[in-house]
């Protein structure tokens, strides 16, 4: 038996089920990161002195990472647009580039983390580094989760394009929603942790 | 988002490129602001305004919120209200301490 509304929009919500599901998931993600932003404000406003990000963190590397993620958001939405134009080859290229940019983000983050550990900046060093590692660490886990999904639809899951192209296009759209959300979180993490 | 014709998708692609250029420019603006001596409050407010503009661009155009169904808007309104409560709890603590 077919599951209803996997492709066509429901008459009551105006959306297909997967899309509404992902938006509800993203709403819960807003609350997850919201709790951590709330903790950050609490820690920061509770002390007389709070270090500026540049005392501990590398702004040029984080700027580079910001550009990686912004570019990956464009390539992600372009992979969906390619499917809408029935251009599967371009979808493969844009998805591959998205994965490469995500990998570049992780490599930069790896160098940032290892440098901090090397000079003795640990989550236990102070509250600033504690909240920095917690927030960026959770964000990195989200990047890895997104990469797994994008990779799945890039190689093994791509065969659905042959059997059910509309459903496959919808899947790429909702993976894209998640990926743009991860980009959006970084857009706020970057100034809050590194620049203020 | 409603069903799109190929022409509409091509029009969207032009928008994506423009949004990308705007986001890259605003990233440079964000970094430049951090080097200005605006004081803590001025720096925080300006940086968050620029971040909010960038976030809105991503949400409106890449996530297509500018052309979405009302169900999603209601979901997000409820989320934003709950998020603001989370953010204002520690801020209200700070204001209460400032009165003492």
């Amino acid at each position: 038996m077919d599951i209803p509304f996997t492709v066509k929009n429901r008459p009551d919500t105006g959306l297909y089920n997967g899309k509404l599901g992902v938006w509800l998931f993203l709403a819960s993600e807003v609350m997850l990161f919201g709790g951590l932003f709330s903790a950050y404000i609490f820690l920061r406003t509770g002390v007389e002195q709070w270090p500026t990000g540049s005392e501990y963190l590398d702004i040029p590397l984080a700027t580079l990472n910001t550009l990686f993620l912004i570019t990956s958001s464009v390539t992600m939405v372009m992979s969906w647009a390619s499917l809408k134009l029935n251009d599967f080859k371009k979808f493969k290229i844009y998805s591959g580039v998205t994965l490469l940019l995500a990998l570049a983000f992780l490599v930069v983050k790896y160098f940032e983390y290892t440098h901090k550990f090397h000079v003795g900046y640990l989550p236990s060093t102070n509250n600033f580094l504690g909240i920095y590692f917690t927030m960026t660490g959770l964000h990195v886990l989200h990047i890895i989760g997104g990469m797994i999904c994008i990779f799945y639809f890039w190689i093994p899951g791509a065969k659905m394009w042959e059997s059910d192209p509309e459903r496959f296009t919808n899947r790429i759209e909702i993976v894209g929603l998640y990926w743009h959300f991860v980009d959006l979180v970084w857009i706020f993490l970057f100034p809050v942790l590194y620049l203020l | 988002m409603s069903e799109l014709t190929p022409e509409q998708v091509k029009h969207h692609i032009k928008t994506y490129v423009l949004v990308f250029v705007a986001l890259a420019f605003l990233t440079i603006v964000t970094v430049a602001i951090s080097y200005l001596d605006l004081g803590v409050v001025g720096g925080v407010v300006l940086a968050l305004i620029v971040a909010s503009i960038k976030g809105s661009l991503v949400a409106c155009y890449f996530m297509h919120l500018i052309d979405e169904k009302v169900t999603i808007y209601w979901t997000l309104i409820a989320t934003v209200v709950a998020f603001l409560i989370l953010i204002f709890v520690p801020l209200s603590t700070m204001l209460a301490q400032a009165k003492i």
Side-chain angles (χ1 to χ4, degrees):
Chain A
M1 195 178 90
D2 283 339
I3 300 169
F5 308 117
T6 52
V7 174
K8 297 297 174 197
N9 293 338
R10 289 173 68 106
D12 49 0
T13 61
L15 303 159
Y16 56 91
N17 283 346
K19 192 170 182 177
L20 181 58
V22 163
W23 272 109
L24 289 172
F25 168 65
L26 293 183
S28 76
E29 288 280 273
V30 169
M31 299 314 291
L32 175 65
F33 280 100
L36 288 173
F37 276 105
S38 182
Y40 168 85
I41 296 169
F42 189 72
L43 290 173
R44 181 164 183 166
T45 56
V47 291
E48 296 272 319
Q49 290 221 318
W50 185 261
T52 53
S54 57
E55 287 176 42
Y56 291 102
L57 310 175
D58 192 320
I59 293 174
L61 275 184
T63 308
L64 181 67
N65 255 356
T66 305
L67 293 173
F68 282 152
L69 271 197
I70 288 170
T71 312
S72 77
S73 253
V74 183
T75 54
M76 186 73 225
V77 79
M78 289 298 287
S79 70
W80 168 78
S82 302
L83 291 179
K84 281 282 184 189
L85 293 170
N86 276 318
D87 195 337
F88 188 68
K89 270 189 182 173
K90 274 194 179 168
F91 157 76
K92 291 286 246 185
I93 292 168
Y94 281 123
S95 290
V97 175
T98 307
L99 279 170
L100 274 179
L101 288 164
L103 189 65
F105 180 93
L106 288 184
V107 168
V108 169
K109 212 74 209 142
Y110 167 79
F111 283 115
E112 269 195 275
Y113 277 180
T114 49
H115 172 70
K116 277 169 197 56
F117 293 147
H118 184 71
V119 295
Y121 292 161
L122 303 171
S124 57
T125 305
N126 59 31
N127 278 346
F128 173 80
L129 287 169
I131 197 79
Y132 162 79
F133 278 111
T134 305
M135 294 179 93
T136 57
L138 184 66
H139 183 259
V140 161
L141 288 179
H142 279 73
I143 293 274
I144 293 168
M147 286 176 76
I148 292 169
C149 294
I150 294 167
F151 179 80
Y152 174 76
F153 291 120
W154 188 45
I155 305 279
K159 56 181 179 288
M160 183 187 268
W161 174 252
E162 304 292 333
S163 59
D164 197 348
E166 200 175 355
R167 191 173 175 190
F168 183 71
T169 307
N170 286 349
R171 286 185 163 192
I172 298 305
E173 183 182 18
I174 57 180
V175 169
L177 286 175
Y178 170 81
W179 192 253
H180 302 313
F181 173 79
V182 173
D183 180 24
L184 214 156
V185 170
W186 181 258
I187 282 173
F188 283 94
L189 279 181
F190 174 51
V192 165
L193 292 175
Y194 287 81
L195 303 178
L196 297 179
Chain B
M1 190 173 210
S2 52
E3 287 303 311
L4 296 169
T5 62
E7 283 69 34
Q8 285 173 317
V9 175
K10 283 174 188 165
H11 180 72
H12 274 271
I13 288 172
K14 284 179 191 164
T15 310
Y16 299 148
V17 174
L18 288 175
V19 170
F20 169 64
V21 172
L23 288 172
F25 174 72
L26 287 171
T27 300
I28 294 162
V29 170
T30 312
V31 177
I33 286 169
S34 73
Y35 288 104
L36 300 175
D37 189 16
L38 299 167
V40 175
V41 176
V44 168
V45 169
L46 205 55
L48 288 183
I49 287 173
V50 176
S52 300
I53 295 169
K54 287 171 72 183
S56 303
L57 285 172
V58 170
C60 288
Y61 294 100
F62 291 166
M63 300 172 92
H64 303 126
L65 266 188
I66 205 159
D67 181 29
E68 257 312 343
K69 299 289 187 297
V70 73
T71 314
I72 291 176
Y73 292 149
W74 281 115
T75 307
L76 290 181
I77 287 168
T79 309
V80 168
V81 169
F83 176 79
L84 289 177
I85 291 170
L86 264 181
I87 297 301
F88 278 101
V89 166
L91 284 178
S92 64
T93 314
M94 181 189 73
L95 291 172
Q97 281 178 344
K99 277 181 187 171
I100 296 167

